[in-house]
Coordinates of all heavy atoms in Angstrom, one line a residue:
M16 N 11.5 9.0 89.7 CA 11.4 10.3 89.0 C 12.8 10.8 88.5 O 12.8 11.3 87.4 CB 10.8 11.3 90.0 CG 10.6 12.7 89.4 SD 9.3 12.5 88.3 CE 9.0 14.1 87.8
N17 N 13.8 10.5 89.2 CA 15.1 10.9 88.7 C 15.5 10.1 87.4 O 16.2 10.7 86.6 CB 16.2 10.6 89.8 CG 16.1 11.6 91.0 OD1 15.5 12.7 90.7 ND2 16.6 11.3 92.1
R18 N 15.1 8.9 87.4 CA 15.4 8.1 86.2 C 14.7 8.7 84.9 O 15.3 8.7 83.9 CB 15.0 6.7 86.4 CG 15.8 5.9 87.3 CD 15.5 4.5 87.5 NE 16.3 3.9 88.5 CZ 16.0 2.7 89.0 NH1 15.0 2.0 88.6 NH2 16.8 2.2 90.0
Y19 N 13.5 9.1 85.1 CA 12.8 9.7 84.0 C 13.4 11.0 83.5 O 13.5 11.2 82.3 CB 11.3 10.0 84.3 CG 10.5 8.7 84.6 CD1 9.9 8.5 85.8 CD2 10.3 7.8 83.6 CE1 9.2 7.3 86.0 CE2 9.6 6.7 83.8 CZ 9.1 6.4 85.0 OH 8.3 5.2 85.3
C20 N 13.8 11.8 84.4 CA 14.6 13.0 84.0 C 15.9 12.7 83.4 O 16.2 13.4 82.4 CB 14.9 13.9 85.3 SG 13.4 14.6 86.0
L21 N 16.6 11.7 83.8 CA 17.8 11.3 83.2 C 17.6 10.8 81.7 O 18.3 11.2 80.8 CB 18.6 10.2 84.0 CG 19.9 9.8 83.5 CD1 20.9 10.9 83.5 CD2 20.4 8.6 84.3
V22 N 16.6 10.1 81.5 CA 16.2 9.5 80.2 C 15.8 10.7 79.3 O 16.3 10.7 78.1 CB 15.1 8.5 80.2 CG1 14.6 8.1 78.9 CG2 15.5 7.2 81.0
L23 N 15.1 11.6 79.8 CA 14.6 12.8 79.0 C 15.9 13.6 78.6 O 16.0 14.1 77.5 CB 13.7 13.6 79.8 CG 13.1 14.8 79.1 CD1 12.3 14.4 77.9 CD2 12.3 15.7 80.0
L24 N 16.8 13.8 79.5 CA 17.9 14.7 79.2 C 18.9 14.0 78.3 O 19.6 14.6 77.4 CB 18.7 15.0 80.5 CG 18.0 16.0 81.4 CD1 18.8 16.2 82.8 CD2 17.9 17.4 80.7
S25 N 19.0 12.6 78.3 CA 19.8 11.9 77.4 C 19.3 11.9 76.0 O 20.0 11.7 75.0 CB 20.1 10.5 77.9 OG 18.9 9.8 77.8
C26 N 18.0 12.2 75.8 CA 17.4 12.2 74.5 C 17.5 13.6 73.8 O 17.2 13.7 72.6 CB 15.9 11.8 74.5 SG 15.7 10.0 74.9
L27 N 17.8 14.6 74.5 CA 17.9 16.0 73.9 C 18.8 16.1 72.8 O 18.6 16.7 71.8 CB 18.1 17.0 75.1 CG 16.9 17.3 75.9 CD1 17.3 18.3 77.0 CD2 15.7 17.8 75.1
P28 N 20.1 15.6 72.9 CA 21.0 15.8 71.8 C 20.5 15.1 70.5 O 20.8 15.6 69.4 CB 22.3 15.0 72.3 CG 22.2 15.1 73.7 CD 20.8 15.0 74.1
L29 N 19.6 14.1 70.5 CA 19.1 13.5 69.4 C 18.2 14.4 68.7 O 18.1 14.4 67.4 CB 18.4 12.1 69.7 CG 19.3 11.0 70.3 CD1 18.5 9.9 70.7 CD2 20.4 10.6 69.3
A30 N 17.5 15.2 69.3 CA 16.5 16.1 68.7 C 17.2 17.3 68.1 O 16.6 18.0 67.2 CB 15.5 16.6 69.8
A31 N 18.5 17.6 68.4 CA 19.2 18.7 67.9 C 20.0 18.4 66.7 O 20.7 19.2 66.2 CB 20.1 19.4 69.0
M32 N 19.9 17.2 66.1 CA 20.6 16.8 65.0 C 20.1 17.6 63.7 O 19.0 17.8 63.5 CB 20.6 15.3 64.7 CG 21.3 14.6 65.8 SD 21.2 12.8 65.5 CE 21.9 12.6 63.9
A33 N 21.1 18.0 62.8 CA 20.7 18.7 61.6 C 20.7 17.7 60.5 O 21.3 16.6 60.5 CB 21.8 19.8 61.4
Y34 N 20.1 18.1 59.4 CA 20.1 17.2 58.2 C 21.4 17.5 57.4 O 21.9 18.6 57.4 CB 18.8 17.5 57.4 CG 18.5 18.9 57.0 CD1 19.2 19.5 55.9 CD2 17.6 19.7 57.7 CE1 18.9 20.8 55.5 CE2 17.4 21.0 57.3 CZ 18.0 21.5 56.3 OH 17.7 22.8 56.0
P35 N 21.8 16.5 56.6 CA 23.0 16.6 55.7 C 22.8 17.6 54.6 O 21.7 17.6 54.0 CB 23.3 15.3 55.3 CG 22.1 14.5 55.4 CD 21.3 15.2 56.5
I36 N 23.7 18.3 54.2 CA 23.6 19.3 53.1 C 24.9 19.0 52.1 O 26.0 19.0 52.6 CB 23.7 20.8 53.6 CG1 22.6 21.1 54.6 CG2 23.7 21.8 52.5 CD1 22.7 22.4 55.3
E37 N 24.5 18.9 50.9 CA 25.5 18.7 49.9 C 25.5 19.9 48.9 O 24.5 20.3 48.4 CB 25.2 17.4 49.0 CG 25.2 16.2 49.8 CD 24.7 15.0 49.0 OE1 24.4 15.2 47.8 OE2 24.6 14.0 49.5
V38 N 26.6 20.5 48.8 CA 26.8 21.7 47.9 C 27.7 21.4 46.7 O 28.8 21.0 46.9 CB 27.3 22.9 48.7 CG1 27.5 24.2 47.8 CG2 26.4 23.2 49.8
E39 N 27.2 21.6 45.5 CA 28.0 21.4 44.3 C 28.2 22.8 43.7 O 27.1 23.5 43.4 CB 27.3 20.5 43.4 CG 28.1 20.3 42.1 CD 27.3 19.4 41.1 OE1 26.4 18.7 41.5 OE2 27.6 19.5 39.9
K40 N 29.4 23.2 43.4 CA 29.7 24.5 42.8 C 30.1 24.4 41.4 O 31.0 23.6 41.1 CB 30.8 25.3 43.6 CG 30.4 25.5 45.0 CD 31.6 26.2 45.7 CE 31.5 26.0 47.2 NZ 32.7 26.5 47.9
R41 N 29.5 25.2 40.5 CA 29.9 25.3 39.1 C 30.2 26.8 38.8 O 29.3 27.6 38.5 CB 28.8 24.8 38.2 CG 28.5 23.3 38.4 CD 27.4 22.9 37.5 NE 26.9 21.6 37.9 CZ 25.7 21.1 37.6 NH1 24.9 21.8 37.0 NH2 25.4 19.9 38.0
L42 N 31.4 27.2 39.1 CA 31.9 28.5 39.0 C 32.6 28.8 37.7 O 33.5 28.1 37.3 CB 32.7 28.9 40.2 CG 32.2 28.6 41.5 CD1 33.2 28.9 42.6 CD2 30.9 29.3 41.8
D43 N 32.2 29.7 36.9 CA 32.7 30.1 35.6 C 33.6 31.3 35.7 O 33.1 32.4 35.3 CB 31.6 30.2 34.6 CG 32.2 30.3 33.1 OD1 33.3 29.9 32.9 OD2 31.4 31.0 32.3
G44 N 34.8 31.3 36.2 CA 35.6 32.4 36.3 C 35.3 33.4 37.4 O 35.8 34.5 37.3
V45 N 34.6 33.1 38.4 CA 34.3 34.0 39.4 C 34.7 33.4 40.7 O 34.8 32.2 40.9 CB 32.8 34.5 39.5 CG1 32.3 35.2 38.3 CG2 31.9 33.2 39.6
K46 N 35.0 34.3 41.7 CA 35.4 33.8 43.0 C 34.3 34.0 44.0 O 34.1 35.0 44.7 CB 36.7 34.7 43.5 CG 37.9 34.5 42.6 CD 39.0 35.3 43.1 CE 40.2 35.1 42.2 NZ 41.3 36.0 42.6
V47 N 33.4 32.9 44.0 CA 32.2 33.0 44.9 C 32.3 31.8 45.9 O 32.7 30.7 45.5 CB 30.9 32.9 44.1 CG1 29.7 32.8 45.0 CG2 30.8 34.1 43.2
D48 N 32.0 32.0 47.1 CA 32.0 31.0 48.1 C 30.5 30.8 48.6 O 29.8 31.7 48.7 CB 32.9 31.3 49.3 CG 33.0 30.3 50.3 OD1 33.0 29.1 49.9 OD2 32.9 30.5 51.5
A49 N 30.2 29.6 48.8 CA 28.8 29.3 49.2 C 28.8 28.5 50.5 O 29.5 27.6 50.7 CB 28.1 28.4 48.1
S50 N 27.9 29.0 51.4 CA 27.7 28.2 52.7 C 26.2 28.0 52.9 O 25.5 29.0 52.9 CB 28.4 29.0 53.8 OG 27.7 30.3 53.9
A51 N 25.9 26.8 53.1 CA 24.5 26.4 53.3 C 24.2 26.2 54.8 O 25.1 25.8 55.5 CB 24.1 25.2 52.5
S52 N 23.0 26.4 55.2 CA 22.6 26.2 56.6 C 21.2 25.7 56.7 O 20.5 25.7 55.7 CB 22.8 27.5 57.4 OG 21.9 28.5 56.8
D53 N 20.8 25.2 57.9 CA 19.5 24.7 58.1 C 18.9 25.4 59.3 O 18.9 24.9 60.4 CB 19.7 23.2 58.4 CG 20.6 22.9 59.5 OD1 21.4 23.8 59.9 OD2 20.6 21.8 60.1
P54 N 18.2 26.5 59.0 CA 17.6 27.3 60.1 C 16.3 26.6 60.7 O 16.0 26.9 61.9 CB 17.2 28.6 59.4 CG 17.3 28.3 58.0 CD 18.1 27.2 57.7
A55 N 15.7 25.7 60.0 CA 14.5 25.0 60.5 C 14.4 23.7 59.8 O 15.0 23.4 58.8 CB 13.3 25.9 60.2
P56 N 13.6 22.7 60.4 CA 13.5 21.4 59.8 C 12.9 21.4 58.4 O 13.2 20.5 57.5 CB 12.5 20.6 60.7 CG 12.6 21.4 62.0 CD 12.9 22.8 61.6
D57 N 12.1 22.4 58.0 CA 11.6 22.4 56.7 C 12.0 23.7 55.8 O 11.4 24.0 54.8 CB 10.0 22.5 56.7 CG 9.5 23.8 57.4 OD1 10.3 24.4 58.1 OD2 8.3 24.1 57.1
L58 N 13.2 24.2 56.2 CA 13.7 25.4 55.6 C 15.2 25.2 55.2 O 15.9 24.6 56.0 CB 13.6 26.6 56.6 CG 13.9 28.0 56.0 CD1 12.8 28.4 55.0 CD2 13.9 29.0 57.2
G59 N 15.6 25.6 54.0 CA 17.0 25.6 53.6 C 17.4 26.9 53.2 O 16.7 27.8 52.7
A60 N 18.7 27.3 53.6 CA 19.3 28.6 53.2 C 20.6 28.5 52.7 O 21.4 27.6 53.1 CB 19.2 29.4 54.6
I61 N 21.0 29.4 51.9 CA 22.4 29.5 51.4 C 22.8 30.9 51.3 O 22.0 31.8 51.0 CB 22.5 28.8 50.0 CG1 23.9 28.7 49.5 CG2 21.6 29.5 48.9 CD1 24.2 27.7 48.6
T62 N 24.1 31.2 51.6 CA 24.7 32.5 51.5 C 25.8 32.5 50.6 O 26.7 31.6 50.6 CB 25.1 33.0 52.9 OG1 24.0 33.0 53.8 CG2 25.7 34.3 52.8
L63 N 25.8 33.3 49.6 CA 26.9 33.5 48.6 C 27.7 34.7 48.8 O 27.2 35.8 49.1 CB 26.4 33.6 47.1 CG 25.4 32.4 46.7 CD1 24.9 32.7 45.3 CD2 26.2 31.1 46.7
S64 N 29.0 34.6 48.9 CA 30.0 35.7 49.1 C 30.8 35.8 47.9 O 31.4 34.9 47.4 CB 30.8 35.4 50.3 OG 30.0 35.2 51.5
N65 N 30.9 37.0 47.3 CA 31.7 37.3 46.2 C 33.0 37.9 46.5 O 33.1 39.0 47.1 CB 31.0 38.2 45.2 CG 31.6 38.4 43.9 OD1 32.8 37.9 43.7 ND2 31.0 39.0 42.9
Y66 N 34.1 37.1 46.3 CA 35.5 37.7 46.6 C 36.2 38.2 45.4 O 37.4 38.6 45.5 CB 36.3 36.5 47.3 CG 35.7 36.1 48.6 CD1 35.1 34.9 48.8 CD2 35.7 37.0 49.7 CE1 34.6 34.5 50.0 CE2 35.2 36.6 50.9 CZ 34.6 35.4 51.1 OH 34.1 35.0 52.2
G67 N 35.6 38.2 44.2 CA 36.2 38.7 43.0 C 36.0 40.1 42.8 O 35.6 40.9 43.6
Q68 N 36.4 40.6 41.6 CA 36.4 42.0 41.2 C 35.2 42.3 40.3 O 35.0 43.4 39.9 CB 37.7 42.4 40.5 CG 38.9 42.2 41.4 CD 38.8 43.1 42.6 OE1 38.4 44.2 42.6 NE2 39.3 42.5 43.7
V69 N 34.5 41.3 39.8 CA 33.3 41.5 38.9 C 32.0 40.9 39.6 O 32.1 40.0 40.4 CB 33.6 40.8 37.6 CG1 34.7 41.4 36.9 CG2 33.8 39.2 37.8
P70 N 30.9 41.5 39.3 CA 29.6 41.0 39.8 C 29.4 39.6 39.2 O 29.8 39.2 38.1 CB 28.6 42.0 39.2 CG 29.3 43.2 38.8 CD 30.7 42.8 38.4
A71 N 28.8 38.8 40.1 CA 28.5 37.4 39.7 C 27.0 37.2 39.6 O 26.2 37.6 40.5 CB 29.1 36.5 40.7
A72 N 26.5 36.6 38.5 CA 25.1 36.2 38.3 C 25.0 34.7 38.6 O 25.6 33.9 38.0 CB 24.6 36.5 36.9
C73 N 24.3 34.4 39.7 CA 24.2 33.0 40.2 C 22.8 32.5 40.1 O 21.8 33.1 40.3 CB 24.7 32.9 41.6 SG 26.4 33.5 41.8
K74 N 22.8 31.1 39.8 CA 21.5 30.4 39.8 C 21.7 29.3 40.8 O 22.6 28.5 40.8 CB 21.3 29.8 38.4 CG 20.0 28.8 38.4 CD 19.9 28.3 37.0 CE 19.0 27.1 37.0 NZ 19.0 26.4 35.7
V75 N 20.8 29.3 41.9 CA 20.9 28.3 42.9 C 19.7 27.3 42.9 O 18.6 27.8 42.8 CB 21.0 29.0 44.3 CG1 21.1 28.0 45.4 CG2 22.2 30.0 44.4
T76 N 20.0 26.1 42.8 CA 19.0 25.1 42.7 C 19.0 24.3 44.0 O 20.1 23.7 44.3 CB 19.1 24.1 41.5 OG1 19.2 24.9 40.3 CG2 18.0 23.2 41.4
L77 N 17.9 24.3 44.8 CA 17.8 23.5 46.0 C 16.9 22.3 45.9 O 15.7 22.6 45.4 CB 17.3 24.4 47.1 CG 18.3 25.6 47.5 CD1 17.8 26.9 46.9 CD2 18.6 25.7 48.9
R78 N 17.3 21.1 46.3 CA 16.5 20.0 46.2 C 16.3 19.3 47.5 O 17.3 19.1 48.2 CB 17.1 18.9 45.2 CG 17.1 19.3 43.8 CD 17.6 18.2 42.8 NE 17.5 18.6 41.5 CZ 18.5 19.2 40.9 NH1 19.6 19.4 41.4 NH2 18.4 19.5 39.6
N79 N 15.1 18.8 47.7 CA 14.8 18.0 48.9 C 14.1 16.8 48.5 O 12.9 16.8 48.4 CB 13.9 18.8 49.9 CG 13.5 17.9 51.1 OD1 14.2 17.1 51.5 ND2 12.3 18.3 51.6
G80 N 14.8 15.7 48.2 CA 14.1 14.4 47.9 C 13.2 14.5 46.7 O 13.5 15.0 45.7
P81 N 11.9 14.0 47.0 CA 11.0 13.9 45.8 C 10.4 15.2 45.4 O 9.7 15.2 44.4 CB 10.0 12.9 46.4 CG 10.0 13.1 47.8 CD 11.4 13.5 48.1
E82 N 10.5 16.2 46.2 CA 9.9 17.5 45.8 C 10.5 18.1 44.6 O 11.6 17.9 44.3 CB 9.9 18.5 47.0 CG 9.1 18.1 48.2 CD 9.0 19.2 49.2 OE1 9.0 20.4 48.8 OE2 9.0 18.9 50.4
A83 N 9.8 19.0 44.0 CA 10.3 19.7 42.8 C 11.4 20.6 43.2 O 11.4 21.3 44.3 CB 9.2 20.5 42.1
P84 N 12.5 20.7 42.5 CA 13.6 21.6 42.8 C 13.1 23.0 42.8 O 12.4 23.4 42.0 CB 14.7 21.4 41.7 CG 14.1 20.4 40.8 CD 12.8 20.0 41.2
R85 N 13.7 23.8 43.7 CA 13.4 25.2 43.8 C 14.6 26.0 43.3 O 15.8 25.7 43.7 CB 13.1 25.7 45.2 CG 12.1 24.8 45.9 CD 10.7 25.1 45.4 NE 9.8 24.1 45.8 CZ 9.2 24.1 47.0 NH1 9.4 25.0 47.9 NH2 8.3 23.1 47.3
V86 N 14.4 27.0 42.4 CA 15.5 27.7 41.8 C 15.4 29.2 42.3 O 14.4 29.8 42.3 CB 15.3 27.7 40.2 CG1 16.4 28.6 39.6 CG2 15.4 26.3 39.8
R87 N 16.6 29.7 42.7 CA 16.7 31.1 43.1 C 17.8 31.8 42.2 O 18.9 31.2 42.1 CB 17.0 31.2 44.5 CG 16.0 30.7 45.5 CD 14.6 31.5 45.4 NE 13.7 31.0 46.4 CZ 12.6 30.3 46.1 NH1 12.5 29.8 44.8 NH2 11.8 29.9 47.0
R88 N 17.5 32.9 41.7 CA 18.6 33.6 40.9 C 19.1 34.9 41.8 O 18.3 35.7 42.2 CB 18.0 34.1 39.6 CG 17.6 32.9 38.8 CD 17.1 33.4 37.4 NE 16.6 32.2 36.7 CZ 17.2 31.3 36.1 NH1 18.6 31.3 36.1 NH2 16.6 30.3 35.5
L89 N 20.4 35.0 41.9 CA 21.0 36.0 42.7 C 22.0 36.8 41.9 O 22.8 36.1 41.1 CB 21.6 35.5 44.0 CG 20.7 34.6 44.9 CD1 21.5 33.9 45.9 CD2 19.7 35.6 45.6
T90 N 22.2 38.0 42.2 CA 23.3 38.8 41.7 C 24.1 39.3 42.9 O 23.6 39.9 43.8 CB 22.8 40.0 40.8 OG1 22.1 39.6 39.8 CG2 24.0 40.8 40.4
V91 N 25.4 38.9 42.9 CA 26.2 39.2 44.0 C 27.3 40.2 43.6 O 28.1 39.9 42.7 CB 26.9 38.0 44.6 CG1 27.6 38.3 45.9 CG2 25.9 36.9 44.8
E92 N 27.3 41.4 44.1 CA 28.3 42.5 43.7 C 29.6 42.1 44.3 O 29.7 41.3 45.4 CB 27.8 43.8 44.2 CG 26.5 44.3 43.6 CD 26.6 44.5 42.1 OE1 27.7 44.9 41.6 OE2 25.7 44.2 41.3
P93 N 30.7 42.6 43.8 CA 32.0 42.4 44.4 C 32.2 42.8 45.9 O 31.7 43.9 46.3 CB 33.0 43.2 43.5 CG 32.2 43.4 42.3 CD 30.8 43.4 42.7
G94 N 32.7 41.9 46.7 CA 32.8 42.2 48.1 C 31.5 42.1 48.9 O 31.5 42.5 50.1
Q95 N 30.5 41.7 48.3 CA 29.1 41.6 49.0 C 28.7 40.2 49.2 O 29.3 39.2 48.7 CB 28.1 42.4 48.2 CG 28.4 43.8 48.0 CD 28.4 44.6 49.3 OE1 27.5 44.4 50.2 NE2 29.3 45.4 49.5
R96 N 27.6 40.0 50.0 CA 27.0 38.7 50.2 C 25.5 38.8 49.8 O 24.8 39.9 49.8 CB 27.0 38.3 51.7 CG 28.3 38.1 52.2 CD 28.2 37.6 53.6 NE 29.4 37.8 54.3 CZ 29.6 37.7 55.6 NH1 28.5 37.5 56.4 NH2 30.7 37.9 56.1
A97 N 25.0 37.6 49.4 CA 23.6 37.5 49.1 C 23.0 36.2 49.6 O 23.8 35.2 49.6 CB 23.4 37.6 47.6
S98 N 21.8 36.2 50.1 CA 21.2 35.0 50.7 C 20.0 34.7 50.1 O 19.2 35.5 49.6 CB 21.0 35.2 52.2 OG 22.2 35.5 52.9
A99 N 19.7 33.4 50.1 CA 18.4 32.9 49.6 C 17.9 31.8 50.5 O 18.6 31.0 51.1 CB 18.5 32.3 48.2
T100 N 16.6 31.7 50.7 CA 16.0 30.7 51.6 C 14.8 30.1 50.8 O 14.3 30.7 49.9 CB 15.4 31.3 52.9 OG1 14.4 32.3 52.6 CG2 16.5 31.9 53.7
V101 N 14.6 28.8 51.1 CA 13.5 28.1 50.5 C 12.8 27.3 51.6 O 13.4 26.6 52.5 CB 14.1 27.1 49.5 CG1 13.0 26.2 49.0 CG2 14.7 27.8 48.4
R102 N 11.4 27.4 51.6 CA 10.6 26.6 52.5 C 10.0 25.4 51.7 O 9.4 25.6 50.7 CB 9.5 27.4 53.1 CG 8.7 26.6 54.1 CD 7.8 27.5 55.0 NE 8.4 28.5 55.7 CZ 9.1 28.2 56.9 NH1 9.0 27.1 57.4 NH2 9.6 29.3 57.6
F103 N 10.3 24.2 52.2 CA 9.7 23.0 51.6 C 8.4 22.6 52.2 O 8.1 23.0 53.3 CB 10.7 21.9 51.6 CG 12.0 22.1 50.8 CD1 13.1 22.6 51.5 CD2 12.0 22.0 49.5 CE1 14.3 22.9 50.7 CE2 13.1 22.2 48.7 CZ 14.3 22.7 49.4
H104 N 7.6 21.8 51.5 CA 6.4 21.3 52.0 C 6.5 20.2 53.1 O 5.5 20.0 53.8 CB 5.5 20.8 50.9 CG 5.1 21.8 50.0 ND1 4.3 22.9 50.2 CD2 5.5 22.0 48.6 CE1 4.1 23.7 49.2 NE2 4.9 23.1 48.2
R105 N 7.6 19.6 53.1 CA 7.8 18.5 54.2 C 9.1 18.7 54.8 O 10.0 19.5 54.3 CB 7.6 17.2 53.6 CG 8.6 16.9 52.4 CD 8.4 15.5 51.9 NE 7.2 15.5 51.0 CZ 6.9 14.5 50.2 NH1 7.7 13.4 50.2 NH2 5.9 14.5 49.5
E106 N 9.4 18.0 55.9 CA 10.7 18.1 56.5 C 11.9 17.7 55.7 O 11.8 16.7 54.9 CB 10.7 17.2 57.8 CG 11.9 17.4 58.7 CD 11.7 16.6 60.0 OE1 10.6 16.6 60.5 OE2 12.7 16.0 60.4
V107 N 12.9 18.4 55.7 CA 14.1 18.1 54.8 C 14.9 16.9 55.4 O 15.2 16.9 56.6 CB 15.0 19.4 54.8 CG1 16.3 19.0 54.0 CG2 14.3 20.5 54.2
L108 N 15.2 15.9 54.6 CA 16.0 14.8 55.1 C 17.4 15.0 54.6 O 18.3 14.6 55.3 CB 15.4 13.5 54.5 CG 14.0 13.2 54.9 CD1 13.5 11.9 54.2 CD2 13.9 13.0 56.3
R109 N 17.6 15.5 53.3 CA 18.9 15.7 52.8 C 18.7 16.9 51.8 O 17.9 16.8 50.9 CB 19.5 14.6 52.1 CG 20.9 14.9 51.4 CD 21.5 13.7 50.9 NE 22.0 13.0 52.1 CZ 22.7 11.9 52.1 NH1 23.0 11.3 51.0 NH2 23.0 11.4 53.2
L110 N 19.5 18.0 52.0 CA 19.4 19.1 51.1 C 20.6 19.1 50.1 O 21.7 19.0 50.5 CB 19.5 20.4 51.9 CG 19.3 21.7 51.1 CD1 17.9 21.8 50.5 CD2 19.5 22.9 52.0
R111 N 20.2 19.1 48.8 CA 21.2 19.1 47.8 C 21.1 20.5 47.1 O 20.1 20.9 46.6 CB 20.9 18.0 46.7 CG 21.2 16.6 47.3 CD 20.7 15.6 46.3 NE 20.8 14.3 46.9 CZ 19.9 13.6 47.6 NH1 18.7 14.2 47.8 NH2 20.1 12.5 48.1
V112 N 22.3 21.2 47.0 CA 22.3 22.5 46.5 C 23.3 22.5 45.3 O 24.5 22.1 45.5 CB 22.8 23.5 47.6 CG1 22.8 25.0 47.0 CG2 21.8 23.4 48.8
V113 N 22.9 23.1 44.2 CA 23.8 23.3 43.0 C 23.9 24.8 42.8 O 22.9 25.5 42.6 CB 23.3 22.6 41.8 CG1 24.2 22.9 40.6 CG2 23.1 21.1 42.0
V114 N 25.1 25.3 42.8 CA 25.3 26.8 42.7 C 26.1 26.9 41.3 O 27.2 26.4 41.1 CB 26.2 27.4 43.8 CG1 26.5 28.8 43.5 CG2 25.5 27.1 45.1
E115 N 25.5 27.7 40.4 CA 26.0 27.9 39.1 C 26.2 29.4 39.0 O 25.3 30.2 39.0 CB 25.1 27.5 37.9 CG 24.9 26.0 37.9 CD 23.9 25.5 36.9 OE1 24.0 26.1 35.8 OE2 23.2 24.6 37.1
C116 N 27.5 29.9 38.9 CA 27.8 31.3 38.8 C 28.6 31.7 37.6 O 29.5 30.9 37.1 CB 28.5 31.8 40.0 SG 27.5 31.7 41.5
A117 N 28.4 32.8 37.0 CA 29.2 33.4 35.9 C 29.4 34.9 36.1 O 28.5 35.5 36.8 CB 28.5 33.0 34.6
G118 N 30.4 35.4 35.5 CA 30.6 36.8 35.6 C 29.6 37.6 34.8 O 29.2 37.1 33.8
K119 N 29.3 38.8 35.2 CA 28.3 39.6 34.5 C 29.0 40.5 33.5 O 30.0 41.0 33.6 CB 27.5 40.5 35.5 CG 26.2 40.1 35.7 CD 25.4 41.0 36.6 CE 23.9 41.1 36.3 NZ 23.2 41.9 37.1

């Protein structure tokens, strides 16, 4: 019985692994930082922070393998944050995010 418990406990770290996230930023004169996260196996999230003096109009494209890319449009005011989440139809293997921002 102790051996079974030991095997079960040794497998737990494997279940907690996250999927890889690639973020590409295309910033046109704005100071925006992007941080992506993986809240669930079929969910992707990104948070944009505007450190500049002008509002930023951003287009965020999230891709998960063969599924159609999902596009979210955000406006981030100076000194503020904005978040976007996307639920995919299948489990995410690798999340690719393209952030395109320009000043308003």
